């Protein structure tokens, strides 16, 4: 949204854990233990956790950096998390794997 620019050190941390600001509070996106998201174009999984949402199920996102990202039309509802993830993987296609996307 152009509110602030995120530096490369925050986009490429040593451990694959990202703190995100969603819905007026902090949440976390992370890769499975021992897995580092590839720097290439291969799909990989990340997990999303929101403690304040009383989340009692696993949200596994599959991120395909090779895309394509869906085309948007005026009025489309897009999960803010997808926009956040696309600050790192610009053209990524993001799959929610059977979970309703968080809007």
């Amino acid at each position: 949204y152009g509110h602030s620019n995120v530096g490369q050190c925050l986009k490429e941390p040593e451990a694959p854990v990202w703190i995100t600001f969603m819905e007026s509070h902090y949440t976390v996106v992370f890769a499975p233990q021992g897995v580092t998201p590839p720097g290439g174009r291969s799909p990989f999984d990340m997990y999303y956790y929101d403690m304040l949402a009383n989340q009692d199920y696993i949200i596994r996102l599959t991120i395909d950096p090779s895309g394509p990202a869906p085309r948007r039309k005026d009025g489309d509802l897009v999960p803010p998390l997808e926009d956040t993830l696309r600050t790192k993987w610009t053209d990524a296609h993001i799959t929610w794997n059977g979970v309703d996307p968080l809007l």
Side-chain angles (χ1 to χ4, degrees):
Y1 296 110
H3 295 293
S4 62
N5 292 322
V6 176
Q8 283 307 111
C9 290
L10 292 176
K11 288 184 181 180
E12 297 177 11
E14 287 184 31
V17 176
W18 290 266
I19 305 300
T20 59
F21 189 72
M22 298 286 144
E23 301 294 320
S24 74
H25 61 279
Y26 293 98
T27 61
V28 66
V29 179
F30 59 95
Q33 185 174 0
V35 174
T36 300
R41 308 295 284 168
S42 299
F44 59 93
D45 289 339
M46 299 280 287
Y47 292 88
Y48 175 76
Y49 182 71
D50 182 347
M51 184 180 82
L52 290 180
N54 295 321
Q55 182 180 328
D56 58 356
Y57 52 91
I58 295 172
I59 297 178
R60 179 177 57 91
L61 304 167
T62 300
I63 300 169
D64 185 351
S66 65
R71 289 205 143 140
R72 294 184 185 176
K73 296 177 240 137
D74 285 340
D76 281 353
L77 295 176
V78 178
L81 180 59
E82 289 188 16
D83 284 336
T84 300
L85 293 171
R86 286 193 186 102
T87 65
K88 170 132 177 79
W89 298 286
T90 308
D91 295 320
H93 178 78
I94 300 167
T95 304
W96 289 76
N97 298 303
V99 175
D100 290 332
L102 303 173
L103 295 172

